[in-house]
Amino acid sequence: MTPHLTVMAADGGINGVALGVLIALFLLVSVAGFMASRFQRADSLESLDEWGLGGRKFGTWITWFLLGGDLYTAYTFVAVPAAMFATGAVAGFFAVPYTIVLYPIIFIFMARLWSVSHRHGYVTTADFVRGRYDSRGLSLAVAVTGFVATMPYIALQLVGIQAVLEVAGVGGGDNIVAKDAPLFIAFAVLAAFTYSSGLRAPAVIAFVKDILIYLVIIVAVIYLPGQVGGWDNIFGSAQEKMATVNEATGKPTGAFLPGVGAGWAYATLALGSAMALFMYPHSITASLSSSSRNTIRRNAAILPAYSFVLGLLALLGWVAIAAGTTPIGLDGEPNAQLVIPQLFEDMFPAWFAGVAFAAIAIGALVPAAIMSIAAANTFSRNIYKEWLKPDATPKQEAKVSKLMSLLVKAFALVFVLTLDKQNAINFQLLGGIWILQTFPAVVFSLFTRWFHRWALLAGWAVSMVYGTVEAYQVINPVTGKHFGGSLGLIPGLDQMGYIAMTAFVINLVIAVVLSAIFNAMKVSNGSDETIPFDYFADADDPRVQKDLAEHGTHDEAYGDPDDIPGNAPAR
Amino acid sequence: MAIAAVLLAIPIVALLWVPSYAKADPELFGFPFFFWYQFLWVFICSALTWTAYKLTLSARGKTTHEAGEER
């Protein structure tokens, strides 16, 4: 380590004002969440209803505003701009087409999933697969995948909270515990937060969180570009940086624009991420809790506007290049994940940097809590109750859910500690590799029963192994660690592409070929408990109404985490 | 319904066809083409999805209508 860098790290010590504002806002939000959950538990159902009804009375604009707050997580604030900063447009800006093509895709299948789920009381994709094919094995595969794939996604949120704490100056020192102190604090806060308050706290603090996030976004994208010489200068500096040679690899640092051949990587990253997002348990929970099948479609039309702001946030990574931001971690090493908090600390007055830090930290905490609860519910419902203890009481089930929500976060912590956190966006991409392999069993089965259950299971198994092995073999040239990225050679094309999509195609080919064989051999494909009408039923259907009423209370695992019907989940 | 499917397919095809827009010129307000073109698609996609939504609504008629819900 050069003395120069050590001095810089020391300079970046505790930012008292920013840290104070961060802690104050954080405490305020936590106390508000805790108080609200106490208040509602003690009170009668009447006030609960009123609260829910109040939510439904919101006009389109307020609802739209609330939805947006959910879309901004550590992925948008930390991981995407960091990828832009470090390696450029292919690694980071694909998030924009990803979040655009996402909506046409969910428009196509989510209404059908909504209808069949409410006709049969399905809460998870594993429930649906079990009902459609009468196959516990395939259902288990879907449930386990959902549980496992959520872990790296939560890990990404932990990295986001850690980045803020590290820039604010928490932790430090040479020994291994102090070095990772911000991470352990982030984990402890998240665990305490979820364990004590469940789904209700995220719902209560959503408003505060959203106001903070919007404030920071608006100020950042309007104020900052002017401070560093305008967009011309920003793109100029980025182009210059991306063209420089990376000493470790001997190749250019990154891509200003996707070059020849990088088109495949860019397109597969966007499409794979888009298809994967709505397979996650937390996404399904949020979508199914909307009030009618068309809510999702209507929202699909207005939500893409958020992709615009996401694009501007991604470009903040390049604003940081123009501003000359040098993100140095507490260990004195450069760490791209710190770039946005560092940019805010350099460019904003200390108190506003504190507000921005709080926005990022709370914006990571809430989705992480929602994700871990959704994954835990999948576990207790489709694994614990289905396989381990079929006669479990609701109380036992709830207890398992709580413990599992801790466990899933503990695994997320393991991901952060063992994998390469220099490239946090890769956590989300890794989760995508796994969760995308449930897409054929879930989405194709919504439209046809031609696929055979064992063929779908075989396709899933092979593609999971392939995807994991391929991702393991990607080695970061700088750190030498495995799971260093999510791009691999596409067999037969000689181009780099997102491993999730390659695995998906393998999955699909196996499913099609084996389905044809099994169907020709007349192997039993299980019994189907759904009928064609199930896929079109809407909120006016009596069975759907009954299901909606049963799941209307907030204490159900099923309740909408934020009480806003039909919104897209956190990314 | 077929028209709605086409409308939904347009943004997917356009954005996955990366070589068609991976270039710097022409610039707009200092943004290279690559960036402003994708920003533009945010709005096009929104309009197309909204149209597709309206088409599916009229195809289904009144049965999808929830009491008290605005059209």
Side-chain angles (χ1 to χ4, degrees):
Chain A
M1 188 47 34
T2 62
H4 174 66
L5 287 184
T6 317
V7 170
M8 288 194 64
D11 277 352
I14 293 182
N15 183 336
V17 178
L19 189 61
V21 173
L22 167 65
I23 293 172
L25 282 171
F26 206 88
L27 285 178
L28 186 80
V29 163
S30 306
V31 170
F34 185 70
M35 300 255 291
S37 66
R38 285 291 292 266
F39 161 73
Q40 283 177 346
R41 204 176 303 149
D43 222 292
S44 69
L45 211 86
E46 229 170 33
S47 71
L48 244 181
D49 269 353
E50 186 158 312
W51 200 76
L53 282 174
R56 261 173 252 140
K57 272 185 245 155
F58 287 144
T60 312
W61 282 107
I62 295 183
T63 311
W64 193 73
F65 168 90
L66 286 171
L67 300 184
D70 282 1
L71 298 182
Y72 299 106
T73 73
Y75 178 78
T76 35
F77 262 118
V78 173
V80 169
M84 290 289 284
F85 175 82
T87 50
V90 176
F93 209 72
F94 78 87
V96 173
Y98 149 36
T99 53
I100 298 174
V101 302
L102 173 68
Y103 297 106
I105 290 173
I106 61 166
F107 186 101
I108 294 166
F109 73 83
M110 196 51 87
R112 287 178 78 92
L113 184 61
W114 187 94
S115 294
V116 73
S117 297
H118 285 292
R119 285 272 294 177
H120 290 273
Y122 302 147
V123 176
T124 62
T125 48
D127 288 349
F128 164 66
V129 167
R130 192 184 184 319
R132 182 68 151 158
Y133 291 103
D134 187 23
S135 168
R136 290 173 80 207
L138 190 57
S139 169
L140 178 69
V142 171
V144 169
T145 313
F147 189 70
V148 172
T150 305
M151 293 169 189
Y153 211 162
I154 297 172
L156 171 63
Q157 310 299 333
L158 283 174
V159 171
I161 304 172
Q162 179 197 21
V164 166
L165 292 174
E166 202 163 333
V167 172
V170 177
D174 291 330
N175 73 68
I176 190 145
V177 175
K179 188 161 67 72
D180 280 321
L183 180 64
F184 286 110
I185 295 172
F187 171 77
V189 169
L190 174 62
F193 181 76
T194 325
Y195 197 84
S196 66
S197 50
L199 273 179
R200 203 168 292 152
V204 171
I205 67 176
F207 243 121
V208 187
K209 165 186 150 258
D210 294 347
I211 290 168
L212 280 178
I213 284 178
Y214 277 102
L215 187 69
V216 172
I217 289 176
I218 290 166
V219 170
V221 301
I222 292 174
Y223 171 78
L224 289 178
Q227 293 299 302
V228 297
W231 288 106
D232 273 327
N233 188 39
I234 291 165
F235 287 114
S237 321
Q239 192 162 16
E240 215 170 276
K241 177 185 168 176
M242 294 307 153
T244 57
V245 175
N246 182 329
E247 285 170 19
T249 58
K251 289 177 187 160
T253 303
F256 177 64
L257 298 176
V260 179
W264 277 96
Y266 193 80
T268 51
L269 281 169
L271 183 63
S273 304
M275 287 163 66
L277 181 65
F278 273 80
M279 296 292 107
Y280 283 104
H282 65 275
S283 318
I284 296 290
T285 309
S287 309
L288 293 187
S289 55
S290 59
S291 58
S292 84
R293 84 195 298 263
N294 278 322
T295 313
I296 298 154
R297 291 188 158 168
R298 199 167 43 230
N299 276 317
I302 53 175
L303 282 169
Y306 289 114
S307 313
F308 190 86
V309 183
L310 170 71
L312 291 176
L313 282 173
L315 289 174
L316 280 186
W318 285 5
V319 171
I321 296 178
T325 308
T326 42
I328 306 287
L330 290 167
D331 54 1
E333 302 279 344
N335 181 355
Q337 302 316 310
L338 307 178
V339 71
I340 291 305
Q342 190 64 55
L343 176 72
F344 288 171
E345 191 184 38
D346 292 349
M347 306 292 286
F348 288 142
W351 68 270
F352 192 74
V355 173
F357 290 172
I360 300 176
I362 299 167
L365 192 69
V366 174
I370 293 173
M371 285 173 200
S372 59
I373 290 168
N377 286 342
T378 295
F379 183 93
S380 63
R381 187 179 171 90
N382 298 112
I383 300 174
Y384 175 71
K385 192 157 185 198
E386 179 76 36
W387 293 86
L388 302 175
K389 200 167 184 339
D391 57 344
T393 63
K395 203 178 165 191
Q396 285 171 321
E397 223 181 313
K399 200 176 169 197
V400 168
S401 264
K402 258 190 160 182
L403 282 174
M404 278 301 143
S405 89
L406 273 184
L407 193 71
V408 75
K409 283 190 282 275
F411 276 119
L413 187 65
V414 173
F415 269 90
V416 183
L417 289 172
T418 52
L419 298 193
D420 187 1
K421 66 182 176 221
Q422 289 277 328
N423 186 10
I425 199 168
N426 190 45
F427 285 127
Q428 199 263 357
L429 291 172
L430 185 61
I433 292 177
W434 291 328
I435 199 72
L436 185 60
Q437 308 319 324
T438 64
F439 192 92
V442 177
V443 176
F444 294 162
S445 303
L446 284 169
F447 293 90
T448 173
R449 217 170 162 285
W450 180 82
F451 285 96
H452 195 281
R453 51 182 174 172
W454 303 129
L456 288 168
L457 189 61
W460 169 84
V462 173
S463 61
M464 285 294 280
V465 172
Y466 172 84
T468 310
V469 169
E470 282 289 300
Y472 176 79
Q473 285 172 347
V474 180
I475 295 171
N476 183 322
V478 181
T479 58
K481 282 193 175 183
H482 288 280
F483 289 112
S486 292
L487 291 176
L489 269 187
I490 306 171
L493 263 178
D494 207 30
Q495 300 275 4
M496 296 298 271
Y498 184 19
I499 293 166
M501 282 310 284
T502 314
F504 176 76
V505 172
I506 293 173
N507 187 341
L508 194 58
V509 169
I510 292 173
V512 168
V513 171
L514 288 183
S515 290
I517 294 172
F518 287 148
N519 288 340
M521 288 165 61
K522 305 232 182 310
V523 178
S524 164
N525 197 12
S527 61
D528 182 5
E529 68 177 32
T530 68
I531 56 169
F533 175 74
D534 288 341
Y535 296 88
F536 297 98
D538 204 347
D540 53 4
D541 181 82
R543 267 173 78 172
V544 172
Q545 279 174 349
K546 185 165 165 283
D547 187 62
L548 284 171
E550 275 174 8
H551 292 113
T553 60
H554 301 276
D555 286 322
E556 291 286 325
Y558 193 44
D560 191 347
D562 53 10
D563 277 301
I564 303 151
N567 55 334
R571 334 192 154 88
Chain B
M1 290 303 271
I3 301 170
V6 172
L7 292 181
L8 294 172
I10 290 171
I12 301 177
V13 172
L15 283 165
L16 295 185
W17 184 22
V18 182
S20 72
Y21 59 87
K23 54 191 176 188
D25 296 312
E27 285 191 8
L28 186 73
F29 307 123
F31 280 62
F33 179 77
F34 178 73
F35 297 98
W36 70 257
Y37 178 79
Q38 292 181 73
F39 280 126
L40 181 67
W41 268 102
V42 170
F43 300 101
I44 302 175
C45 179
S46 209
L48 292 173
T49 314
W50 184 255
T51 313
Y53 168 64
K54 287 292 174 191
L55 283 175
T56 54
L57 273 194
S58 57
R60 270 178 67 97
K62 289 199 172 196
T63 53
T64 61
H65 192 246
E66 193 185 16
E69 189 188 347
E70 59 180 308
R71 283 273 174 165

